[in-house]
Amino acid sequence: MVSSEKTGVGILGLGKSLPEKVLTNSDLEKMVDTSDEWIVKRTGIQKRRLLEKNQPLYELGVDAANKAMADAGITAEEIDLVIVTTETPDYLAPSMACIIQGKIGAKNAAAFDLNAACSGFMYALTVAKQFIDTGFYKHILIVACEGLSRVVDWKDRATCVLFGDGAGAAVVGPVEQGYGIQAIEMGADGTMGHNITIPCLYMNEEDAAKREHENKNVIWMDGSEVFKFAVRTMAYASEKVIADSNLTLDDIKLIIPHQANSRIIEGAAKRLGVPESKVYINVQEYGNISSACIPIALNEAVEKGLVSKGDNIVLVGFGGGLTWASSMIRWSK
Ligand code: COA
C-alpha cells in the first residue's frame, strides 16, 4: 500500500558532467598498436572523454552537483552530507568532498571521500540510505567523479583504450513510502584485489614489475580475471536485489550496469536471461568512467524517458577491490 508519507529513501535529482575533449579509437590507433576494429569488437567502446591537462577533476564534480541539486529542487544549504566517490582525487588532502562542498556552498554539510573503485557510487548510495533511514540526515549529495586518464599508461594498449573521465551526481533524500531503494547488496573480496591495481604512495616489487614503462603510478589489470568476476558478480548481485524485493525479472523495467565493456554486460544479461533491450548501455560513448558510469547512465536513461514513476530499476556495479554492489529502486519521480 503506497501512502504519501515520506518514509522511503530515493534519488531526488541527478546531474552529469563530461569533459569536452573526445578521444576516438582512430586517435588511439596513432598512439599504440591497436585498431578501431579490435576495440569495438572486444569492448564496444568507440570514444571516451578526457580532462584537459590542467583541468581539475573537481570542476566536473561541481558542475554535476549543481545540476543534481537543481533537478532535485533543493539548495546547497539544504545538503547535510557530501560524499564524493573517486579513485583519482585531485588532492589526497583536502578530500574531493571538502573541495566540492566549498565550491558549491554546502556550508551545512559534512563531507568525505569514499573509494570503492567502480562500485563507489553504489556503496555511497548504501551509506546515504543508512543516514537517512536513521533520521540523522535528510539530504545527501553523492558526487562520483573520476579522471582515469590521469592514471592510465598511454603506452599500454591493454588498458589505455578502456577508460575515460567524467562525473555524475545524485541527491538522495526522503521519498513516498513504497518508492525509492527497496533492496541493497554490497560486498568485497580483497583476496582478488591484485587483479586491478593503481599504486599511490607505496608499491610492492610485484606491482612495480608489472609496469613496463617509466611511470609506475598507473592502472594494471588482469583483464580476463576481472572479466569472469564481472559477469558472475553482476548476474548474482542483480538477482539478489530483485529476489530481496520480492520481484522477478519480469517486474524490472531497466537494468543499469557499470559500463566497463559491452561484452561483460551482454554476458551478464545472458546469464540472467534478460533481453539486451532491458539493459542500458552507453559504454560506446564514454568508455569506463569507474564510479561515475552508473549515475551518468541513470541520468541519461531518465532524460530519454526510459524510467518513469513506479518503474522498478536495478543498478549494479563491480570493480577494483574487488568490490560489487547493487540496488533495486522503485523510481519515485
Ligand atoms: N588492441 C589490439 N590488441 C590488443 C589490445 C588492443 N588495445 N589489447 C590487448 N590486445 C591483444 C593482447 O595482447 C592479446 O594478444 P596475444 O593473443 O597476441 O597475446 C589479444 O589482444 C587478446 O588479449 P586478451 O587480454 O585475451 O583480450 P580479451 O578478449 O580478454 O579483452 C579486455 C581484453 C581488457 C578488453 C577484457 O579482458 C576486459 O574487458 N576485461 C575486463 C576489464 C574491466 O572491465 N576492467 C575494469 C573493471 S571495473
Side-chain angles (χ1 to χ4, degrees):
M1 184 70 175
V2 172
S3 95
S4 59
E5 208 186 330
K6 292 201 168 176
T7 53
V9 176
I11 292 175
L12 308 181
L14 289 161
K16 63 180 188 311
S17 184
L18 280 314
E20 299 276 310
K21 187 170 159 187
V22 177
L23 187 77
T24 63
N25 290 350
S26 60
D27 295 330
L28 279 160
E29 285 175 351
K30 294 171 201 128
M31 296 161 66
V32 285
D33 180 14
T34 191
S35 66
D36 174 53
E37 193 197 350
W38 191 96
I39 302 171
V40 171
K41 196 167 155 212
R42 303 290 184 117
T43 72
I45 302 166
Q46 293 169 8
K47 50 190 159 179
R48 61 292 286 147
R49 302 290 188 90
L50 303 190
L51 285 161
E52 295 293 344
K53 197 164 182 288
N54 293 317
Q55 186 181 4
L57 175 61
Y58 68 70
E59 229 174 67
L60 301 183
V62 166
D63 186 32
N66 283 329
K67 288 172 180 163
M69 289 187 293
D71 188 36
I74 68 162
T75 63
E77 285 85 2
E78 291 175 88
I79 300 289
D80 300 307
L81 174 66
V82 178
I83 308 176
V84 170
T85 68
T86 186
E87 40 185 341
T88 54
D90 290 325
Y91 291 81
L92 291 178
S95 67
M96 288 293 274
C98 282
I99 296 173
I100 292 173
Q101 184 253 22
K103 300 270 176 204
I104 63 175
K107 59 183 184 199
N108 300 313
F112 64 82
D113 285 1
L114 184 161
N115 178 356
C118 303
S119 310
F121 178 79
M122 301 307 300
Y123 264 62
L125 196 59
T126 307
V127 172
K129 178 168 161 43
Q130 312 313 310
F131 275 121
I132 298 166
D133 272 342
T134 58
F136 195 79
Y137 287 138
K138 190 169 178 193
H139 294 127
I140 298 181
L141 173 68
I142 303 173
V143 188
C145 49
E146 304 282 7
L148 277 304
S149 68
R150 297 197 165 150
V151 290
V152 156
D153 179 350
W154 289 104
K155 292 178 187 154
D156 176 14
R157 69 175 182 175
T159 50
C160 75
V161 302
L162 302 174
F163 299 98
D165 304 335
V171 176
V172 183
V175 297
E176 284 169 62
Q177 190 184 358
Y179 289 92
I181 299 166
Q182 305 295 306
I184 280 168
E185 158 66 11
M186 191 163 85
D189 182 355
T191 66
M192 290 182 76
H194 57 276
N195 288 302
I196 311 177
T197 49
I198 311 173
C200 179
L201 303 175
Y202 162 82
M203 111 183 54
N204 64 31
E205 283 175 19
E206 194 186 333
D207 281 324
K210 282 173 179 170
R211 287 148 173 90
E212 280 178 35
H213 304 114
E214 202 180 320
N215 182 7
K216 300 281 183 191
N217 290 93
V218 290
I219 294 183
W220 181 91
M221 184 169 67
D222 183 332
S224 64
E225 276 301 311
V226 178
F227 195 103
K228 285 181 272 179
F229 164 83
V231 172
R232 196 172 61 236
T233 308
M234 267 174 54
Y236 155 76
S238 303
E239 275 168 347
K240 176 89 170 56
V241 289
I242 295 169
D244 288 352
S245 310
N246 296 315
L247 300 175
T248 68
L249 271 168
D250 289 342
D251 302 311
I252 304 302
K253 176 80 182 296
L254 195 64
I255 297 178
I256 300 182
H258 173 51
Q259 308 284 321
N261 180 325
S262 57
R263 280 165 56 225
I264 292 178
I265 298 173
E266 285 153 19
K270 199 167 160 199
R271 209 173 160 120
L272 272 170
V274 290
E276 279 167 37
S277 58
K278 263 197 183 186
V279 185
Y280 192 81
I281 304 187
N282 66 3
V283 71
Q284 65 282 2
E285 290 295 317
Y286 309 124
N288 181 348
I289 327 175
S290 190
S291 69
C293 284
I294 291 178
I296 290 172
L298 176 59
N299 194 347
E300 280 188 3
V302 171
E303 281 173 353
K304 288 179 182 171
L306 301 175
V307 181
S308 340
K309 187 167 180 178
D311 285 343
N312 294 313
I313 61 168
V314 170
L315 311 182
V316 55
F318 65 90
L322 299 181
T323 53
W324 65 89
S326 58
S327 182
M328 207 309 284
I329 300 178
R330 185 159 304 126
W331 201 245
S332 51
K333 286 191 78 181

